[in-house]
Amino acid sequence: MSSTGPVAGRHYPRSAGEFGAWFSTDADCLDYLEWLRWPEGFVCPHCGHRVGWRMADGRFCCGACDGRTSVTAGTIFDKTRTPLTVWFMACWLFATQKDGVSAQSLQRALAIGSYQTAWAMLHRFRSVLVRPGRERLNGTVEVDETFIGGEEPGLRGGRAKGKKSLVGVAVEGTAPKGLGRCRVASLDDASAASLHPFVAAHVEPGAIVITDAWPGYSGIDELGYRRDTRSQRAARLRGDDPFALLPAVHRVASLAKRWLLGTHQGSVDNAHLQSYLDEFVFRFNRRTSRSRGMVFYRVLELTVAHEPVRYRDLILNPEPKKNPPAGRAGWGHPPSLERPPANRPWRAA
């Protein structure tokens, strides 16, 4: 790979046509995943040894511990019965569509057998979007809370716990009026016990944190932040617009709500809300990317570094099936397990 990063047309496809040419078979997809997972060559996931060989069934055998593994083992593609070509096409649509894709749209576009399969595929992609050890926001950061779905009447101050979901929003400000990165996360309530951990998890100590005068933010100075308090009540008394005090937060919150209502028709339950918020943050923070193919590359890069996500981990109140359905003959197996030619477009020179 280039020292300056992945290159369009060499490490990832630049267009849908190029995507189709690169990934026409499951063997092509396996080869690409192998390169993403082991860019410097095979590494045994059991002992870390770097010497191994490919077996007749397509798996790898470690030369040190004799462990057997496959390219997809230990990733979100582990034990999948869905062809990798379908997975890749789903990832391409997920990454390259500006506003994403709903499970129903994905099912129709790829002729997937069931809505549950399409829904689970998208949720598996969402589960990898939060990169471990990602950098926290810094500089000047606006922080506030909002209700997803709108505030409920009768809730004091708009912060009391009700049927709607309360989420925290943090946004970097850039000079003169631009927006940087954002973070959005579900909150149990608007108390200091919830707001302080939210700020600590998403904002780098030493940053200037702009908040309103809500008491839940009191004490964040002791966590290493410089708090800039802006009172909405004082703004109203002056005749000013209180929402203008935290413009970045309100803009991002509005975009998130509009995205949920547009792409997903607002049909997002509280149990999975954080996954959708993670997707929104991932998209927002990459809104200036010149190549959507790069976003596709980044998503796949995260999938091969993430542990398996089972369907039971995604659904509410999972219960074991008494009679598991039998898999289709040959379903999910590539037409050939022979390694494609080495002169692939993504191969480094």
Side-chain angles (χ1 to χ4, degrees):
M1 185 182 300
S2 171
S3 58
T4 59
V7 179
R10 181 179 176 187
H11 300 110
Y12 59 85
R14 293 167 291 191
S15 64
E18 200 165 66
F19 170 88
W22 282 27
F23 307 118
S24 59
T25 69
D26 274 20
D28 295 333
C29 300
L30 277 171
D31 187 53
Y32 192 73
L33 290 179
E34 180 187 336
W35 170 73
L36 283 176
R37 187 174 185 182
W38 302 311
E40 304 298 328
F42 170 75
V43 178
C44 178
H46 307 293
C47 68
H49 196 63
R50 291 182 172 274
V51 177
W53 58 89
R54 186 186 296 271
M55 303 173 63
D57 61 359
R59 293 183 299 166
F60 288 85
C61 179
C62 176
C65 69
D66 201 38
R68 312 295 173 88
T69 189
S70 67
V71 175
T72 57
T75 72
I76 69 166
F77 306 111
D78 190 20
K79 298 181 180 179
T80 182
R81 294 192 298 250
T82 303
L84 286 178
T85 49
V86 177
W87 273 105
F88 270 51
M89 191 64 216
C91 185
W92 179 262
L93 294 175
F94 176 82
T96 59
Q97 297 289 330
K98 181 180 178 181
D99 294 321
V101 60
S102 67
Q104 188 174 57
S105 297
L106 184 69
Q107 181 191 8
R108 291 174 178 173
L110 302 185
I112 297 175
S114 70
Y115 173 85
Q116 287 77 12
T117 299
W119 177 87
M121 291 175 75
L122 291 177
H123 266 291
R124 285 186 171 96
F125 287 132
R126 294 184 185 108
S127 68
V128 309
L129 299 181
V130 179
R131 178 173 54 84
R134 65 180 180 179
E135 298 78 8
R136 288 180 285 185
L137 308 182
N138 51 50
T140 301
V141 182
E142 294 183 15
V143 179
D144 200 6
E145 329 87 60
T146 186
F147 278 100
I148 293 295
E151 297 183 4
E152 293 182 62
L155 297 184
R156 182 181 177 184
R159 285 181 166 94
K161 185 69 173 178
K163 295 180 181 179
K164 304 299 182 182
S165 298
L166 184 67
V167 300
V169 184
V171 186
E172 285 178 333
T174 59
K177 295 183 179 181
L179 302 181
R181 298 171 297 159
C182 78
R183 297 284 186 266
V184 187
S186 297
L187 299 174
D188 292 332
D189 51 44
S191 67
S194 296
L195 294 175
H196 285 198
F198 170 74
V199 174
H202 300 293
V203 183
E204 192 72 29
I208 299 174
V209 178
I210 303 174
T211 72
D212 57 19
W214 177 248
Y217 294 106
S218 299
I220 63 171
D221 309 72
E222 301 173 4
L223 301 178
Y225 303 101
R226 291 176 289 169
R227 184 187 179 192
D228 180 356
T229 305
R230 300 181 180 180
S231 173
Q232 293 185 352
R233 179 179 298 179
R236 291 191 183 94
L237 292 176
R238 294 193 305 267
D240 297 335
D241 180 8
F243 291 102
L245 300 178
L246 299 169
V249 160
H250 291 130
R251 183 177 179 184
V252 169
S254 177
L255 290 173
K257 294 175 184 179
R258 191 183 309 167
W259 175 74
L260 289 171
L261 287 173
T263 301
H264 302 288
Q265 303 299 306
S267 58
V268 176
D269 56 72
N270 291 344
H272 297 109
L273 176 60
Q274 187 58 56
S275 295
Y276 289 95
L277 296 178
D278 290 340
E279 180 184 350
F280 170 80
V281 169
F282 182 85
R283 293 185 182 284
F284 181 86
N285 291 344
R286 289 160 180 78
R287 65 193 182 280
T288 59
S289 176
R290 295 182 179 180
S291 172
R292 305 313 297 174
M294 168 67 90
V295 181
F296 164 79
Y297 167 86
R298 291 302 183 196
V299 174
L300 278 183
E301 189 178 42
L302 292 169
T303 63
V304 296
H306 197 282
E307 61 185 11
V309 178
R310 306 302 182 195
Y311 185 72
R312 288 174 55 85
D313 301 326
L314 299 174
I315 61 176
L316 302 174
N317 303 318
E319 296 180 359
K321 295 182 179 180
K322 296 180 180 179
N323 298 307
R328 304 180 189 178
W331 184 254
H333 294 282
S336 171
L337 287 175
E338 295 180 2
R339 184 177 180 82
N343 58 342
R344 288 289 168 181
W346 53 81
R347 291 294 181 186

